[in-house]
Amino acid sequence: MKHYPRMLTPNTPRFNPVELAKVTESIVCRNDSRKYTAFYVAGVYRGISTGYAVGCCLRCFFCWSGWSRDFPELYGRFYTPRDVFKRLCEAAKEYRIRKARISGCEPTLCRGHLLKLLELVESSEFNIFILETNGILFGADKSYVRDISKFTKVYVRVSLKAGNPRAFSHRTGALPDFFELPFKAIEYLIDYGVRFHVAAMTDPRIMPAGERVELLNRLRDIDPKLAKYLEEELCDPYDATIVRMSIFGIDPVKFYKYSLP
Ligand code: SF4
């Protein structure tokens, strides 16, 4: 990869997201450790202990993650799976919650790190680990989904970005051929009996109605229930989202049309 992709513009050269995952891993993974910037309890899921990790293999223009997504070299410290587990436990204990996740990144990067962390979660007091993924690496390697299926506490949330290859490439920066990978991930999750649901960025300001129909049909082809229970996402005005959107060539003032607090 000649230039490491950072913030997306419509003219950014399109990239292979599996290759970008590898290059990003060379920055954010070291042996079994991964870079994180913070540990805290987030209000979503009615309170969840969260490790905010560094690095992703897509470059969605609506992404809300911090600048560590674009400049992983500049952010975070390396934590072993045991360090991360300890931090997650400490945060959870303070708020008396039993849920955990990794956020702010693509959690499936640094496979060895994630699997070791899930082993620790499996024999702990946590009762669920919510694995929020863009589905690229699961779709690229079925054996990764097989490995995940061994953990009873994992619940996967696959977040789709588009309803056709052209829109996928436009919004994420990835080459259009890789559009299918998250759908493959869904098929593999079904094959291995992993608990999951599907979410998608169907905000009508981003995804035209016709494309939403394409997406729903694609999901129905796999299983009608996936479309029925689809979680539809809205694009919230996080600070990083506003800047990324602006760099992408969309005026956030016109996009949001209301004053932010
Ligand atoms: S929205 Fe998710 S998949 Fe897209 S760049 Fe941000 S962290 Fe990665």
Side-chain angles (χ1 to χ4, degrees):
M1 187 165 272
K2 226 172 169 186
H3 299 290
Y4 188 75
R6 301 192 192 269
M7 278 168 279
L8 190 68
T9 74
N11 299 324
T12 302
R14 268 36 198 171
F15 53 81
N16 171 340
V18 179
E19 192 189 347
L20 179 56
K22 285 200 176 80
V23 178
T24 304
E25 284 174 331
S26 73
I27 302 166
V28 304
C29 320
R30 186 190 289 161
N31 302 320
D32 283 343
S33 298
R34 178 169 186 170
K35 278 181 147 192
Y36 287 76
T37 59
F39 296 90
Y40 56 94
V41 167
V44 289
Y45 302 110
R46 295 190 186 164
I48 186 162
S49 190
T50 301
Y52 202 94
V54 176
C56 188
C57 54
L58 295 180
R59 291 292 179 265
C60 310
F61 76 80
F62 50 78
C63 178
W64 57 271
S65 295
W67 301 119
S68 60
R69 186 208 74 172
D70 309 276
F71 303 98
E73 303 93 330
L74 298 180
Y75 290 88
R77 276 183 43 208
F78 286 98
Y79 291 82
T80 66
R82 196 160 283 284
D83 293 334
V84 174
F85 177 69
K86 192 167 160 271
R87 299 286 188 127
L88 290 174
C89 289
E90 283 166 3
K93 206 170 167 192
E94 201 180 332
Y95 288 84
R96 296 186 183 180
I97 50 170
R98 299 172 81 179
K99 287 168 262 174
R101 67 170 181 164
I102 299 176
S103 186
C105 66
E106 174 48 45
T108 58
L109 265 62
C110 310
R111 180 169 172 167
H113 173 84
L114 178 64
L115 294 175
K116 287 207 167 132
L117 176 61
L118 292 178
E119 270 171 31
L120 295 166
V121 168
E122 192 70 8
S123 54
S124 74
E125 288 186 3
F126 284 114
N127 52 25
I128 190 165
F129 187 98
I130 298 178
L131 187 50
E132 300 170 320
T133 178
N134 59 31
I136 295 292
L137 295 185
F138 281 172
D141 186 348
K142 192 172 182 177
S143 75
Y144 199 173
V145 180
R146 181 202 63 210
D147 290 352
I148 291 292
S149 72
K150 293 171 188 155
F151 300 105
T152 61
K153 293 185 180 175
V154 172
Y155 180 90
V156 177
R157 175 184 184 271
V158 183
S159 177
L160 304 174
K161 313 301 177 194
N164 62 55
R166 206 171 61 86
F168 173 75
S169 183
H170 180 66
R171 266 174 227 142
T172 67
L175 288 161
D177 290 353
F178 293 88
F179 167 71
E180 278 297 326
L181 286 186
F183 295 98
K184 285 242 165 294
I186 291 168
E187 288 172 3
Y188 298 157
L189 289 164
I190 293 171
D191 289 348
Y192 281 109
V194 178
R195 292 183 298 151
F196 77 100
H197 81 277
V198 181
M201 177 48 81
T202 54
D203 189 320
R205 295 167 295 183
I206 289 180
M207 184 181 285
E211 186 192 332
R212 180 173 171 276
V213 172
E214 286 181 88
L215 175 65
L216 290 170
N217 287 339
R218 183 69 187 80
L219 289 172
R220 280 189 198 106
D221 286 346
I222 302 173
D223 183 337
K225 280 200 217 103
L226 297 173
K228 190 172 172 191
Y229 297 112
L230 178 69
E231 177 194 339
E232 305 209 44
E233 299 174 336
L234 286 174
C235 184
D236 291 324
Y238 290 92
D239 289 351
T241 310
I242 291 170
V243 175
R244 288 189 180 115
M245 196 175 269
S246 182
I247 287 171
F248 189 70
I250 294 174
D251 182 347
V253 176
K254 286 191 183 137
F255 184 90
Y256 287 111
K257 287 196 194 118
Y258 55 81
S259 297
L260 305 175

